[in-house]
Amino acid sequence: MNTKRKIVILNQATNYLTIGYANAFKKKFDEVVLITGSIHTQGEQLNKDVLVYKINRWYETPARKKTMSYLAALWKMWWLLAFKYRKHEVFFISVPPMAYLLNLLLPHKFSMLIWDVYPDILKITGMTEKHLLCRIWAYLNKISFKKADKIFTIGTKISELLEQYVQTEKIIIQPIWSIFQENLRVDVASNPFVKKYQHEGKFIVQYSGNIGLTHKVELMIKLAELLKDQKSIIFQIIGRGVQVPYLKKLVEKKKLPNCMLLPFQSDEMFLYSLSAADLGVVILDEKTAKGSVPSKSYNLMSLGIPSLYLASTDSELNNYVQKFRHGKCFQERNLEEAAKFIHQLAMSSECQKSYSENALQAAQNFKRGNADKLVDKYLSC
C-alpha cells in the first residue's frame, strides 16, 4: 500500500544495498528520490520510478580529492534538501560519513542507517578520543541522534557503540544482506578464475577487497609466512589500494611463493574469484572492530565459504562465529593459532563441509528481504 509520502535517500556512492533500500521504500512511498554521485549495480536493478538526482562522485583516493569530494557532496545535499526537497522525509546511508549531521541545520523528518560508527572508526588512523575533531564530532552526534526520527544499525555490537551517543531504545537493529541471494558458488572444475591461475587441487585462503592504509592486509602475508612449508595452501590477496606496492615488496622480500597479489576483479569475474576461495578472510582493525561489519562477510556466507575473521573478541564478527559456527575468529596476537586452524581445515574435507553448511545456514539471516523489514520498521516504530 502506498502511503502518499515522499522521501529522499542520501548516499554519495550507491551500491546494491542502497538500491535495495530505495526499491523497498518505493513499494510504500509515493515518491522516492535518490541523491547520489554514482550507482554501482550488482544484481538488483534500481526501480525506474525512483528519481535520481546526480551530484559529484565519491573518490577513495587520494586523501585531498576524497576530502574535497565529501565537502562538495555535503554542500549539494544541504542545498537540495533546503530548497528542492523541503517537504520530503530524509533517509541517510553511508557516504559522506558526516552527512547525517545535516539534520542539525534542516527541519526535515530525518532518519539514518549507521553501519560504520564515526568518529570512533577514526581510531584506525591513530586519532584518539581527545583529538579536537573527535570531540566535536562526538558532541554533534549526541545532538544529531537526539533530533533524529529513527536510527538504524546492522548489529548488536555497533548498537552498543552507538549507546554512548543516544538512548538504547532509539536504536533499531536490522541486518543487511549479501549481493548473492542464492548459493551460486561455481565449481572448481568449471571456474575460469581457478584455471587461469592453475590452482586446481590447492587450498585457497583468500582476502578480497580494499587494500588501504587501514585494512591491515599484511596479516595475510604473516599467515602465509607461517605456512610457507605447506605447498598445498595458497594465499590470495585480491584488490586495489595504496598498500598494494608495499605488500608486493613484502612478499618478494620474504620470498613467499605461496602468497600472490591479484588485481581487483570486474563485476563479471567477481563470482568466479570469490568461488575459488576455500577459506575467506575478513580483517578488522581491533581498535574499531566493534564499529563496523564488512559486507564481504555476508557474500562469503551466501556462497557457503568458511570464514576466518581477524578481529577482536568484542566484534560483530566474533558474535557471528559463536552463533553460526561457520568459521573462526582470532585476534592479531594469535596469528599462530589462526595458522593452525587454516592447516587443520585444509587437511579435513569433513571440517570444510561442516563449516560450509553452517555458512549457508547463516546466510538465511541476511537476505534481501531485510530491506523490506527495515522499511516496515521505519513505518511502524
Side-chain angles (χ1 to χ4, degrees), residues 12-20 34 36-46 54 57 179 240 264-268 270:
Q12 191 183 2
T14 291
N15 63 5
Y16 75 97
L17 294 168
T18 306
I19 289 173
L34 174 60
T36 186
S38 63
I39 299 176
H40 183 194
T41 302
Q42 291 176 287
E44 184 175 1
Q45 299 289 319
L46 184 65
K54 281 291 187 76
R57 292 179 62 88
I179 293 172
R240 60 189 173 194
F264 186 83
Q265 301 297 303
S266 66
D267 287 348
E268 293 73 22
F270 179 56

Side-chain angles (χ1 to χ4, degrees), residues 10 74 77 81 90-106 110-120 136-148 150-151 162 165:
L10 303 177
L74 281 173
M77 287 176 175
L81 294 178
V90 179
F91 188 72
F92 165 77
I93 308 173
S94 190
V95 180
M98 69 290 290
Y100 60 82
L101 296 176
L102 289 173
N103 78 329
L104 299 174
L105 306 174
L106 296 164
F110 206 114
S111 299
M112 57 207 57
L113 170 59
I114 306 295
W115 56 47
D116 291 312
V117 182
Y118 284 86
D120 303 74
I136 293 174
W137 201 331
Y139 172 74
L140 294 177
N141 272 352
K142 293 178 181 179
I143 303 173
S144 175
F145 291 164
K146 183 176 181 180
K147 185 182 178 184
K150 294 180 179 67
I151 300 170
L162 287 172
Y165 304 118

Side-chain angles (χ1 to χ4, degrees), residues 4 10 17 30 96 102 122 155 217 228 232 242 250 272 334:
K4 302 300 179 183
L10 303 177
L17 294 168
D30 183 53
L102 289 173
L122 296 177
V217 183
K228 62 183 178 181
S232 63
V242 296
L250 194 59
Y272 298 108
N334 296 326

Side-chain angles (χ1 to χ4, degrees), residues 62-206:
R64 182 178 177 276
K65 194 171 186 178
K66 180 177 182 178
T67 301
M68 295 304 295
S69 170
Y70 278 179
L71 294 176
L74 281 173
W75 165 254
K76 291 174 182 178
M77 287 176 175
W78 173 83
W79 190 92
L80 288 168
L81 294 178
F83 297 102
K84 187 175 179 65
Y85 300 114
R86 296 177 62 180
K87 297 183 179 180
H88 288 61
E89 298 172 39
V90 179
F91 188 72
F92 165 77
I93 308 173
S94 190
V95 180
M98 69 290 290
Y100 60 82
L101 296 176
L102 289 173
N103 78 329
L104 299 174
L105 306 174
L106 296 164
H108 300 68
K109 181 178 180 180
F110 206 114
S111 299
M112 57 207 57
L113 170 59
I114 306 295
W115 56 47
D116 291 312
V117 182
Y118 284 86
D120 303 74
I121 206 165
L122 296 177
K123 292 177 182 177
I124 295 177
T125 66
M127 195 177 291
T128 68
E129 295 175 357
K130 295 181 180 180
H131 191 282
L132 182 61
L133 175 61
C134 288
R135 288 163 58 193
I136 293 174
W137 201 331
Y139 172 74
L140 294 177
N141 272 352
K142 293 178 181 179
I143 303 173
S144 175
F145 291 164
K146 183 176 181 180
K147 185 182 178 184
D149 182 60
K150 294 180 179 67
I151 300 170
F152 292 91
T153 193
I154 63 176
T156 57
K157 289 299 179 180
I158 299 179
S159 175
E160 289 174 9
L161 197 56
L162 287 172
E163 288 171 10
Q164 65 186 304
Y165 304 118
V166 66
Q167 292 181 338
T168 307
E169 298 75 28
K170 197 167 187 177
I171 303 170
I172 305 168
I173 298 175
Q174 181 56 59
I176 53 176
W177 62 96
S178 167
I179 293 172
F180 311 109
Q181 289 301 287
E182 301 176 29
N183 179 14
L184 302 174
R185 190 174 183 182
V186 181
D187 185 77
V188 170
S190 55
N191 190 328
F193 183 85
V194 174
K195 292 180 180 179
K196 180 178 180 179
Y197 294 103
Q198 300 179 340
H199 282 163
E200 296 93 336
K202 302 292 187 180
F203 184 85
I204 306 300
V205 183
Q206 184 187 99

Side-chain angles (χ1 to χ4, degrees), residues 285-298:
D285 191 294
E286 294 183 12
K287 300 188 198 74
T288 60
K290 194 172 182 177
S292 181
V293 183
S295 58
K296 64 170 69 74
S297 313
Y298 309 107

